[in-house]
Amino acid sequence: MKKSIKLTLDGREYTAVFNDNQTDVDIIDMMPMELTPQRYAGHEYYSELPKKPSVKEVPMTSVAHAGDICYFDGWNAFTVLFGDAKIDPFKVVLVGHVNEDISPLAEAGDTIAAKIEVIL
């Protein structure tokens, strides 16, 4: 079952819907989380998770869009994209998508404060 998530990123609140796969379930089990994501490649913020979620038999993609929330197994990274990105040859799990306009993150600094929690 898809879960609704609240993200507080750089002082702004967003909601998101997580997909329904094992990676998502494992990440949700880590919540609530407070992270300090770093800006990367002019299109995303990423932060290492406290532990690795499973990616076994979960679909992966090399194309991500603004508002997507992804997991990159290579860095154990939870990422939130504020711009579109083709990241080939790397592949990520599409974890979910932010419901609101995420573009204000493009103006944030090199690191931001993040709190991620399940909406009951």
Side-chain angles (χ1 to χ4, degrees):
M1 174 159 68
K2 292 188 177 197
K3 296 277 187 177
S4 294
I5 306 300
K6 178 176 143 186
L7 299 104
T8 305
L9 306 169
D10 197 40
R12 294 178 177 90
E13 287 188 5
Y14 302 93
T15 58
V17 175
F18 269 27
N19 298 323
D20 191 16
N21 62 50
Q22 188 58 51
T23 305
D24 300 338
V25 169
D26 290 352
I27 293 172
I28 287 168
D29 285 347
M30 295 179 216
M31 293 181 189
M33 290 188 286
E34 291 191 20
L35 305 170
T36 307
Q38 300 175 47
R39 188 181 191 99
Y40 180 74
H43 63 259
E44 73 183 51
Y45 280 92
Y46 78 95
S47 187
E48 185 175 353
L49 289 172
K51 55 187 172 181
K52 283 190 142 218
S54 173
V55 294
K56 188 175 179 181
E57 298 181 23
V58 177
M60 297 185 137
T61 183
S62 289
V63 178
H65 300 283
D68 283 351
I69 301 168
C70 301
Y71 173 72
F72 177 54
D73 190 50
W75 294 347
N76 187 33
F78 180 87
T79 65
V80 179
L81 284 89
F82 57 83
D84 294 345
K86 187 170 183 331
I87 56 172
D88 213 15
F90 303 105
K91 296 210 179 266
V92 296
V93 174
L94 179 59
V95 174
H97 192 80
V98 176
N99 296 321
E100 296 83 16
D101 176 18
I102 198 83
S103 65
L105 279 184
E107 304 302 319
D110 290 340
T111 60
I112 61 172
K115 183 173 182 181
I116 301 111
E117 54 198 313
V118 177
I119 298 173
L120 299 177

